[in-house]
Amino acid sequence: MVAGALDASLVIGVDVGGTKILAGVVDREGVVHASHELETPTSSEEAVVSALDTAVEELLEERIAAIGYGVPSNLDRRTRVALHATNLPIAELDLVAHARERFGFPVGIENDANAAALAEWKLGAGRGASNLVMLTLGTGVGGGLVLDGRLYRGWAELGHVVVQADGPPCQGNCHGRGHLEVMASGSAADRAARDLYGPDADGQLLIERARAGDQHARAKLEEIGELLGAAIGSFVNEFDPELIVVGGGFGRAAGELVLEPALRAARRQAIAPADETLRIVPAALGSRAGLIGAALVAFDALDAG
Ligand SMILES: [Zn+2]
């Protein structure tokens, strides 16, 4: 436990997405006191770093004690350098050193999906669990793991598990094929929508049509859910989680249209008794999971001194 004086501190969490940056002033209970959103530049690393600095500067005030970032990149486990992002023009970026020098606070960093998993575990749908798997279904698919009561700080790139050997090429800078990220993300739903309804259609329309009873749309989402479930069944067999939390923009929007077929498919793959007991639950923190997770990472940095 920390001293009472520290409990009053606020931190700035920065959730760095492929399309937008969401920064917020957050307290230890995960309450967001102020937030600022801007578009993620895609032109260069310098432009991304400059946008991140702007996001922080907009929110600086005297009670701020630390900064935390959730970035869509894998991190060097020892140095915490952001090595390689699939959907963002950054590579070998030491954001911690940069922000520490610029702002003078303790700075923490975590993969964005790991940060979301941390938030759902501490303050959301995964409270009280010792082992959980979190999947964030957005443009891509992020993964996070809590194992034996601790956030796993390694790559946990669960979106890049193979669900179809030699399947379609993966997205962004990933050179793999048939990965979950390309088969069961918002982009997969966008593709399915274009196949059905033409070049202007997207996943949102696919979901709307499915809810209105369109059998073709339902079948496409069911297909996506089946592939998601195949991956979830595998994760259950590897990590023995008490529950699987599914969030992200696409995950939230599609809800049971994808989660019900996913549960059926996962049960077919999971080893007993998990084939009966496995649970897939929607994330509880909504679009703020990444932001709150980044803030929790900032508090970790603050408490570590
Ligand atoms: Zn991939």
Side-chain angles (χ1 to χ4, degrees):
M1 238 359 246
V2 291
L6 271 182
D7 281 336
S9 347
L10 298 172
V11 298
I12 293 176
V14 187
D15 181 21
V16 187
T19 53
K20 64 169 190 174
I21 295 165
L22 177 62
V25 174
V26 184
D27 67 23
R28 277 190 192 271
E29 277 68 53
V31 177
V32 180
H33 295 249
S35 65
H36 183 72
E37 191 180 313
L38 64 172
E39 235 171 71
T40 308
T42 52
S43 52
S44 67
E45 182 170 295
E46 293 70 37
V48 172
V49 172
S50 159
L52 294 176
D53 289 347
T54 303
V56 169
E57 277 154 12
E58 285 288 330
L59 294 169
L60 279 177
E61 50 131 312
E62 60 186 14
R63 290 174 297 169
I64 300 299
I67 303 171
Y69 295 92
V71 293
S73 167
N74 50 14
L75 303 173
D76 184 295
R77 286 186 79 165
R78 191 179 52 83
T79 64
R80 309 310 281 165
V81 166
L83 295 173
H84 176 268
T86 310
N87 297 304
L88 205 64
I90 61 170
E92 305 286 338
L93 172 63
D94 193 346
L95 192 56
V96 172
H98 166 82
R100 211 184 269 148
E101 189 181 317
R102 184 173 179 111
F103 299 110
F105 297 122
V107 177
I109 191 167
E110 190 46 82
N111 168 272
D112 58 346
N114 284 11
L118 178 65
E120 288 290 342
W121 174 45
K122 294 275 188 188
L123 299 165
R127 265 179 294 186
S130 297
N131 295 281
L132 72 82
V133 171
M134 166 126 191
L135 292 169
T136 308
L137 310 185
T139 316
V141 175
L145 298 168
V146 172
L147 300 174
D148 297 330
R150 296 172 65 123
L151 178 72
Y152 173 69
R153 310 297 299 256
W155 290 7
E157 292 283 3
L158 305 181
H160 298 276
V161 68
V162 176
V163 290
Q164 185 185 328
D166 292 325
C170 198
Q171 327 193 113
N173 300 324
C174 178
H175 60 238
R177 301 185 82 96
H179 290 180
L180 184 64
E181 166 145 329
V182 72
M183 308 297 290
S185 58
S187 329
D190 288 343
R191 266 199 324 278
R194 287 196 295 270
D195 286 350
L196 284 177
Y197 310 117
D200 295 334
D202 63 6
Q204 192 52 48
L205 179 72
L206 187 74
I207 292 165
E208 281 166 24
R209 294 280 175 95
R211 291 209 192 285
D214 180 334
Q215 289 309 311
H216 299 292
R218 293 189 81 91
K220 288 284 189 188
L221 287 168
E222 195 159 319
E223 222 172 89
I224 288 173
E226 292 261 344
L227 290 164
L228 176 66
I232 286 176
S234 304
F235 299 144
V236 166
N237 293 341
E238 264 95 65
F239 303 115
D240 181 25
E242 290 145 79
L243 76 171
I244 296 94
V245 181
V246 177
F250 171 65
R252 275 195 303 283
E256 80 292 349
L257 292 168
V258 159
L259 296 189
E260 281 175 10
L263 181 61
R264 286 196 300 275
R267 286 196 158 137
R268 287 201 302 276
Q269 305 301 336
I271 292 167
D275 56 342
E276 297 289 338
T277 59
L278 81 89
R279 288 198 297 141
I280 303 177
V281 302
L285 299 176
S287 58
R288 288 186 157 177
L291 168 61
I292 293 169
L296 292 175
V297 168
F299 280 113
D300 281 352
L302 177 63
D303 295 343

